[in-house]
Amino acid sequence: MATIVKREDYFDAALEILATNDHAGLKQARLCAHLEVTTGSFYNYFDSWGQFKDEFLQHWLDHQTLQLAAAARLEGSPIRRMWMLVDFACGLPHSAESAIRGWAHSDRAVHEVQIQVDEQRYAVVAEALTAVLGEGGEDEAERLARTLLYILVGYQQRLPLDTAASLRWSLEHLLQSLLARVGAETERPFPVPTER
């Protein structure tokens, strides 16, 4: 019996392959084998490997950055928003993102999307931190947002990749230090989500 897959299944499978085989292992044949489909099934959705790559990168940008940033921006409390952003960061597919970061060094299209991902992640964190710090805190908020992004990127580049608990500790430690300094409640306002 033929396996029926959706367009999104190809993107999810690509993330799984990147997580275990790095970007050099992401090939059409491996993708189809992973999904147990023929290359004909692939061509029902994509005209070429280039189209697949472009759509996969856009899917990654949309689902792992833009949608999460939009959800965070709906939270009215900047402190709760920061805790949400920590949770979102810890729930990312880090092994796959590490492979994408490596891929970005040799592929211009991947590089351009990687820049967008990092800029969007930085922006949503800087906005929340500016709200936490209040008027006059914009410069510090920008520096802290860059520091948090550096922690995430550095975590994703470490080999072998540590557990997400180590990333969570680093992000939460910095956030709690900031909240204590501005006299805000330092305890997280909701339970820690289950890590992948």
Side-chain angles (χ1 to χ4, degrees):
M1 176 179 260
T3 303
I4 299 175
V5 297
K6 302 181 302 287
R7 181 180 225 93
E8 292 75 24
D9 293 330
Y10 285 94
F11 305 141
D12 293 341
L15 283 173
E16 291 172 18
I17 291 168
L18 285 166
T20 56
N21 294 286
D22 206 23
H23 71 277
L26 182 57
K27 306 286 186 207
Q28 182 184 14
R30 178 172 275 152
L31 184 63
C32 291
H34 185 84
L35 290 170
E36 299 179 353
V37 297
T38 65
T39 56
S41 173
F42 176 89
Y43 287 112
N44 285 333
Y45 291 112
F46 310 102
D47 292 334
S48 65
W49 182 255
Q51 180 193 357
F52 166 77
K53 183 181 81 171
D54 292 344
E55 288 189 31
F56 164 70
L57 292 170
Q58 186 62 49
H59 178 85
W60 173 60
L61 170 64
D62 290 344
H63 287 79
Q64 301 300 329
T65 299
L66 298 179
Q67 289 179 8
L68 297 177
R73 286 180 173 118
L74 293 175
E75 172 55 57
S77 163
I79 293 172
R80 285 180 62 91
R81 190 177 327 145
M82 282 303 305
W83 283 106
M84 286 175 68
L85 290 167
V86 167
D87 291 344
F88 291 161
C90 293
L92 294 171
H94 296 293
S95 294
E97 290 206 2
S98 177
I100 293 170
R101 288 187 182 282
W103 192 9
H105 290 287
S106 61
D107 187 303
R108 181 100 179 124
V110 179
H111 177 78
E112 289 173 5
V113 174
Q114 182 68 69
I115 289 171
Q116 291 179 59
V117 165
D118 287 341
E119 286 176 350
Q120 291 295 320
R121 290 175 179 175
Y122 162 78
V124 70
V125 172
E127 289 168 21
L129 287 169
T130 298
V132 169
L133 291 169
E135 190 175 326
E138 296 86 1
D139 288 344
E140 183 179 6
E142 290 178 6
R143 288 191 299 273
L144 285 169
R146 289 198 192 290
T147 301
L148 290 165
L149 184 62
Y150 298 155
I151 290 170
L152 174 63
V153 172
Y155 167 77
Q156 290 182 341
Q157 294 303 295
R158 184 166 184 322
L159 295 174
L161 197 62
D162 286 334
T163 66
S166 63
L167 172 63
R168 179 174 295 284
W169 184 92
S170 299
L171 296 175
E172 288 186 355
H173 178 74
L174 190 58
L175 178 56
Q176 288 172 326
S177 297
L178 168 67
L179 295 175
R181 188 166 53 81
V182 300
E185 174 60 48
T186 61
E187 294 301 314
R188 59 180 297 117
F190 36 76
V192 177
T194 304
E195 309 283 40
R196 293 185 207 194

